[in-house]
């Protein structure tokens, strides 16, 4: 059967890390809320609330139950479909990287929603400007430097060596998201991370990813998602 | 050998989730920076930077390598020392809960550092007041309601049934931290989460936890950690 992925239908958001791994791996899935809408997503989420449900989208209905939280879903897919290394130590290392990407994603979201997660960006613009300044100056280089070092620590074309894993598609999305959100900042600094940028380009050429990016399944970046481009928050 | 845990020596912080699991499980560890100081922690972190190092504390030197990120460390300890269930589906569910606790922790930290993670709380007090209002009103009930439902979905005294796991010590710490940070808010609402509060009390009575809490290894909550009590941020 196909997996049933549940995530917001109009954004890449956290769900995109799952979509990319599924697409790269050629793993069948239904992106349920894209067909059925956000109300169906909320109804489905609620339907699991008295059992082993999810705190929030994205989550996967596997047929046996619900798997939620991006890193947890990816570890599950990695193990089930071989899009992660097989050794225990390798898997732990990869999971640690993925959780660091989750930290980056949470911090990127916090830039445009620093003081009120449930309110609009427009209601917290001065605060967002402050948050963006430190994120651009200190946090982006710290995260990208860590990923660059991780790539340097491995032999081979991919994060985990000779075969791509969900960590590679997640690093691709991290670079793509930061480029969309902070084009001037990324243009100024990304030359310092050559292995990471080369990896981004290599992932874009994977058959499954190339087809996905050219399809209408790939939602365009927009200012409803995690990575949002507000020109006033960007600077070199 | 003992594990070598590296975390900031003067706070509970994220490291406390690891300490509690180790203490409850009677697993030998050295809390290295408590003996050697924060500079030794930074030097040790740097010593791994060209290999498979950590992005940030806490991390564990296992003898075979470094395991970083709280949920990753706990999954490792769970598997290695039997402080997690043995079934794959149970472990996935537990990992999803732990990652949701990680989200709670990140949001709690964001309350007192909404716009500038690297600056002082005192430099972002008005913004923190805004962040705290929404966190108290909307986010705490959402998280605690999810944990309460998770407990209700299982038979037995513990999150995963008949035996305690690292998920229980993590839920204990979540309740303890929120009570310290928001005593008025928690007093007003915690009656709505009877299973969670009962679990907190049950964890406090585990032999390893009881001994730990009475020892000087348990650092007191303070206003340097993740959960910080600033009276001006609390309200019923």
């Amino acid at each position: 059967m196909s997996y049933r992925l549940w995530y917001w239908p109009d954004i890449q958001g956290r769900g995109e890390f799952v979509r990319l791994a599924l697409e790269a791996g050629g793993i069948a899935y239904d992106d349920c809320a894209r067909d059925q809408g956000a109300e169906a997503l909320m109804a489905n989420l609620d339907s699991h609330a008295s059992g082993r449900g999810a705190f929030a989208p994205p989550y996967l209905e596997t047929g046996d139950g619900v798997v939620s939280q991006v890193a947890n879903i990816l570890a599950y897919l990695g193990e089930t479909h071989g899009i992660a290394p097989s050794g225990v130590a390798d898997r732990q290392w990869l999971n640690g990287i993925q959780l660091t990407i989750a930290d980056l994603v949470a911090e990127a979201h916090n830039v445009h929603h620093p003081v009120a997660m449930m309110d609009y960006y427009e209601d917290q613009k001065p605060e967002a400007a402050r948050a963006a300044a430190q994120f651009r100056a200190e946090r982006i280089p710290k995260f990208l430097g860590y990923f660059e070092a991780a790539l340097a620590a491995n032999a081979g074309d991919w994060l985990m060596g000779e075969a791509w894993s969900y960590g590679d598609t997640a690093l691709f999305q991290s670079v793509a998201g930061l480029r969309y959100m902070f084009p001037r900042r990324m243009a100024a600094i990304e030359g310092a991370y050559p292995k990471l940028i080369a990896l981004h380009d290599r992932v874009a050429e994977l058959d499954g990813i190339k087809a996905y990016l050219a399809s209408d399944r790939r939602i365009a970046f927009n200012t409803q998602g995690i990575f949002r481009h507000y020109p006033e928050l960007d600077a070199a």
Side-chain angles (χ1 to χ4, degrees), chain A:
Chain A
M1 59 152 266
S2 286
Y3 290 113
R4 292 161 59 85
L5 172 65
W6 288 94
Y7 192 65
W8 304 109
D10 300 319
I11 62 171
Q12 294 187 10
R14 287 179 170 82
E16 197 67 10
F17 292 92
V18 181
R19 293 183 182 122
L20 285 165
L22 291 163
E23 295 278 351
I27 301 164
Y29 73 105
D30 296 322
D31 200 343
C32 299
R34 291 208 68 190
D35 298 325
Q36 301 173 42
E39 285 185 24
L41 166 59
M42 295 316 295
N44 187 276
L45 184 68
D46 283 347
S47 76
H48 294 292
S50 64
R52 290 186 165 189
F55 180 71
Y59 59 94
L60 211 59
E61 292 179 323
T62 66
D64 293 321
V66 168
V67 182
S68 70
Q69 290 279 0
V70 170
N72 197 34
I73 297 168
L74 293 177
Y76 167 82
L77 292 174
E79 195 147 338
T80 309
H81 298 279
I83 58 170
S86 54
V88 172
D90 284 345
R91 286 190 183 182
Q92 280 159 1
W93 165 245
L94 176 56
N95 188 41
I97 298 273
Q98 187 60 46
L99 290 171
T100 304
I101 292 172
D103 288 347
L104 164 65
V105 167
E107 290 188 30
H109 185 269
N110 191 62
V111 164
H112 49 78
H113 277 72
V115 293
M117 174 176 293
M118 316 302 284
D119 295 347
Y120 292 109
Y121 164 67
E122 286 70 21
D123 296 329
Q124 46 198 308
K125 288 177 73 167
E127 296 90 344
R130 260 190 90 180
Q134 193 168 79
F135 187 78
R136 286 195 314 266
E138 300 183 36
R139 302 303 288 173
I140 296 178
K142 186 167 164 67
F143 278 106
L144 298 190
Y146 180 71
F147 300 143
E148 184 76 6
L151 291 168
N154 291 296
D157 278 349
W158 307 99
L159 175 61
M160 300 309 300
E162 299 304 323
W164 73 270
S165 71
Y166 68 75
D168 297 294
T169 49
L171 288 173
F172 163 85
Q173 180 68 3
S174 302
V175 170
L178 290 172
R179 279 178 169 175
Y180 167 72
M181 188 167 176
F182 300 106
R184 293 161 66 195
R185 180 62 176 154
M186 285 296 281
I189 66 170
E190 70 174 47
Y193 313 102
K195 290 177 185 294
L196 181 62
I197 300 304
L199 181 78
H200 166 277
D201 297 348
R202 209 172 289 129
V203 169
E205 293 300 317
L206 287 171
D207 289 344
I209 296 298
K210 201 168 178 176
Y212 174 60
L213 296 179
S215 76
D216 61 7
R217 298 191 303 285
R218 172 76 163 184
I219 302 163
F221 282 111
N222 60 47
T223 51
Q224 300 299 313
I226 299 280
F227 295 110
R228 301 188 185 188
H229 179 56
Y230 296 118
E232 65 273 22
L233 298 184
D234 189 21

